Amino acid sequence: MKTLKIAIQKSGRLNEKSVELLKNCGLSFENYKSSLISPVSNFPLEILFLRDDDIPEYVQDGIADLGIVGENVICETEVEVAYLQRLGFGKCTLKLAIPNKGDIQALADLNGKAIATSYPVILGKFLKDNNVEAEIRTISGSVEISPGLGLADAICDIVSTGGTLKSNGLKPFGDVLSSEAVLIGRKGEEEDPLIQELIQRIQSVLRAKETKYVVLNAERKNVDEIKTLLPGIKSPTVVPLAEEGWVAIHTVIPEKDFWSRINQLKAAGAQGIVVMPIEKIIL
């Protein structure tokens, strides 16, 4: 039987979440912290642990069938790969940032300035699209210290919380690219049965993270009104209780919908509301 290969970060901000996702898909593997390759014992899959910059090219060239990597890396390396599934973690923004004290007020003020970045390809496209002519200075690390050292007038870097910018006397100036972790594959091989099975597992885990299993009690006369407030996967399950005229209503709903409707449910007669996490949802 064919064995798939999936490449994920060896270390970095996406490593732990990628490992967690694969384990939640029911995949069993060990020693991933001490090895570059880890076989999965209960699915035809090998996990490759690589530098994030290498993952897109490994997938493009067919060395790996799949990869988990940030969109920013894909855009910077300009590879040809298929986007198979957005994963909802590793969200960040590639931003322009400028010194708190300076004369830059608008994008046009960057003309003739020097901008330090680890993402020259993405930044170059952004500047071209906005008709800005600035010098791009490529720096592999610690981009945020460049203005303080006189190496650049502004920076373009990944920002998650903004704490690093603030500690270096910088402030966000503009968004260049929004990014999150994505599952990628080699173009033309998206319909491979094993790949589709793994995608199905991943999707079931992602759905479960966004939804809750809800059980509540209500008088039978209030069921119709309560059902209109519970947009489940299909329709709620209604089970009679031992007490005459009362039922238990079971459903699965998006967590964001539940919290916006809880007062409406209580007003409609819902009682004893229990909210539980879900491990997987398979459609």
Side-chain angles (χ1 to χ4, degrees), residues 6-271:
I6 184 170
I8 68 173
Q9 273 190 346
K10 171 65 176 175
S11 59
R13 62 189 184 89
L14 299 187
N15 171 264
E16 288 188 9
K17 288 291 186 179
S18 298
V19 169
E20 179 185 353
L21 174 63
L22 295 177
K23 285 188 173 290
N24 286 340
C25 288
L27 304 178
S28 179
F29 55 95
E30 298 178 355
N31 301 322
Y32 63 89
K33 290 187 177 180
S34 59
S35 175
L36 296 178
I37 302 178
S38 184
V40 174
S41 62
N42 58 350
F43 190 83
L45 179 72
E46 290 182 340
I47 303 171
L48 311 181
F49 295 90
L50 308 173
R51 291 177 60 252
D52 58 351
D53 292 348
D54 294 332
I55 292 174
E57 289 191 17
Y58 269 57
V59 174
Q60 175 186 258
D61 297 342
I63 299 171
D65 302 284
L66 302 165
I68 295 177
V69 70
E71 288 179 274
N72 57 298
V73 179
I74 302 169
C75 294
E76 183 64 28
T77 53
E78 298 185 293
V79 297
E80 292 291 326
V81 293
Y83 280 55
L84 302 179
Q85 179 67 50
R86 294 184 177 276
L87 301 175
F89 61 83
K91 292 185 177 182
C92 61
T93 305
L94 187 62
K95 288 180 178 286
L96 289 167
I98 56 175
N100 290 323
K101 298 178 180 179
D103 58 355
I104 300 174
Q105 302 294 325
L107 275 178
D109 296 334
L110 291 173
N111 280 295
K113 304 291 188 181
I115 307 174
T117 187
S118 299
Y119 299 92
V121 172
I122 296 173
L123 176 58
K125 290 180 179 178
F126 175 82
L127 295 177
K128 183 178 179 180
D129 290 343
N130 288 275
N131 299 312
V132 174
E133 293 187 6
E135 179 186 354
I136 298 175
R137 294 183 176 173
T138 304
I139 297 177
S140 59
S142 301
V143 174
E144 64 278 354
I145 68 173
S146 301
L149 296 176
L151 298 175
D153 303 291
I155 70 167
C156 179
D157 201 15
I158 290 291
V159 176
S160 295
T161 64
T164 303
L165 294 182
K166 187 176 181 180
S167 64
N168 284 276
L170 302 173
K171 61 183 179 181
F173 178 61
D175 292 351
V176 175
L177 177 76
S178 294
S179 176
E180 69 176 288
V182 292
L183 176 71
I184 58 173
R186 193 177 184 191
K187 283 195 169 183
E189 297 185 2
E190 300 94 327
E191 300 304 317
D192 180 284
L194 279 178
I195 291 177
Q196 286 299 310
E197 182 177 345
L198 185 57
I199 291 175
Q200 182 185 59
R201 291 194 185 198
I202 289 173
Q203 290 175 340
S204 72
V205 172
L206 296 179
R207 288 190 202 101
K209 290 182 67 174
E210 298 173 354
T211 56
K212 297 295 183 182
Y213 190 89
V214 177
V215 181
L216 57 88
N217 296 333
E219 290 187 79
R220 186 176 292 278
K221 65 182 181 180
N222 296 326
V223 168
D224 288 341
E225 182 180 357
I226 290 173
K227 284 169 64 176
T228 65
L229 300 172
L230 294 173
I233 292 178
K234 285 194 175 179
S235 63
T237 299
V238 179
V239 182
L241 294 179
E243 185 174 346
E244 186 68 28
W246 283 80
V247 298
I249 301 175
H250 299 238
T251 192
V252 174
I253 64 173
E255 185 174 18
K256 59 181 179 63
D257 289 338
F258 173 78
W259 292 114
S260 66
R261 300 188 186 198
I262 186 163
N263 288 332
Q264 292 174 283
L265 288 168
K266 291 170 68 175
Q271 299 181 17

